[in-house]
Amino acid sequence: MTPSTEIAPDLAAHIAIAVSIFCALMTLAGLVYMVLTLRAGRSFTHHWRAHPLTALATAPTVTLLKPLKGVDARMYAGLRSHCLQQYAGRYEILFGVSSLEDPAVAEIDRLRAEFPELAIRVLECPERLGTSGKVSNLAQMLPHALGEILLVNDSDILVSPHYLARVVAGFTPRGKKKVGMVTTPYLGASAKGHGLLSRIEALGIATEFFPSVLTARMLEGGLRFGLGSTLAMPRTVLEEIGGFAPLTEHLADDYELGARIYRAGYAIELVPEIVETIVPRYTLRGFCDHQLRWMRSVRDSRRAGYLGVAVTYVIAWALATCVASGFELWSFTLLSVALLARVAVALSIGVGILRDEQVLRDIWLLPLRDCIGLLLWAWSYAGDTVVWRGERFHLRRGILHRS
């Protein structure tokens, strides 16, 4: 036997030990993160129990700005929910389309016929001011808005009748800083028949994305960005940061808008008013494109924090530890603890705070969600291409560049 044949098995054994130790350490880091997430959930709940929402002395006029393109699944139900608001003040809804030939205009006409007493207007926004068609429309809609408070959300958002009242109540002064933005949690509704990939994405929103938002809120002493489910701000604050026009090249316009308001010295309030967005039926390609667009957006917006996202997939790391260790008994103990911690977060935040009943239905998918999530996280570093509404862009420092 030659020296080289003796060294090879030893080297392989040392590599296996090193890999199992690395995976075990990543699992332990993930468990620490799960504990922090549970604390963040309790902090959020206790805050709003101690400081419940109270209405402002006078109800300001609100303008809801909704840029539209095409007709999304369940869009009309979402639009209709905005017309059923129990709000003490006046509000109007402005819809922005790039062309009056857009199919969404027919849905707006239907809405106006059903609610003739409401101030509902549709605006044509023909100019393309940047790569983001959505923000381009918002910039052209802004001069026509009458409200003191401006509220932007996505076309398919479904809200409760108390949505507007509770969002506006979020501007009640609570600390040293004046509130410059109010945003809300959201859950993803995966309709029956939308398939496994849709259910996996919805599960990720409730048990992965929103817990990370709460953890950032706790560790950073408050939220420093906005969520696209709701972006409400006083007109004066928006004007102070330059309006929507500077954001027309940004992919994560919701994040950037909130970040600019925070940097201007204002607080961002995450109020406990949960809204719902629809998760569409995906092909495998569509699912990967959507997940990578979101991940690369976060990567470019929060580079240091995004590195830490890897440890959040604690079940995947625990499974890798089992394989790398040769299925040693201790690795199964670690896997059991990881599963328990992940389920605890899912139930505490996904069900307890978001009240997402789909989590109970799909909780068995958590190991698959973590494995897919870790693979996509690694893949997100392999390039800078994102696909958005059928268009392909390169993403550099949060800015969209046409391919």
Side-chain angles (χ1 to χ4, degrees), residues 379-401:
W379 189 5
S380 72
Y381 281 101
D384 61 4
T385 301
V386 297
V387 178
W388 191 17
R389 288 188 176 270
E391 295 185 76
R392 188 173 294 273
F393 301 93
H394 289 293
L395 182 65
R396 299 189 184 94
R397 295 290 178 181
I399 303 297
L400 291 167
H401 301 270

Side-chain angles (χ1 to χ4, degrees), residues 285-344:
R285 176 69 175 271
F287 174 80
C288 291
D289 283 345
H290 188 261
Q291 291 286 300
L292 284 172
R293 189 184 81 214
W294 178 81
M295 286 186 161
R296 285 172 177 162
S297 169
V298 177
R299 182 198 70 189
D300 269 31
S301 300
R302 296 171 64 86
R303 288 180 174 271
Y306 187 69
L307 278 172
V309 168
V311 304
T312 68
Y313 305 112
V314 64
I315 298 177
W317 288 113
L319 287 169
T321 303
C322 289
V323 174
S325 70
F327 301 100
E328 293 280 350
L329 181 60
W330 65 267
S331 68
F332 282 102
T333 302
L334 193 60
L335 175 61
S336 299
V337 176
L339 284 166
L340 181 62
R342 191 75 168 86
V343 169

Side-chain angles (χ1 to χ4, degrees), residues 174-196:
R174 296 177 183 277
K176 295 179 180 179
K177 288 185 177 182
K178 183 178 178 181
V179 177
M181 173 178 280
V182 173
T183 192
T184 63
Y186 67 94
L187 59 87
S190 174
K192 187 177 181 181
H194 273 197
L196 180 64

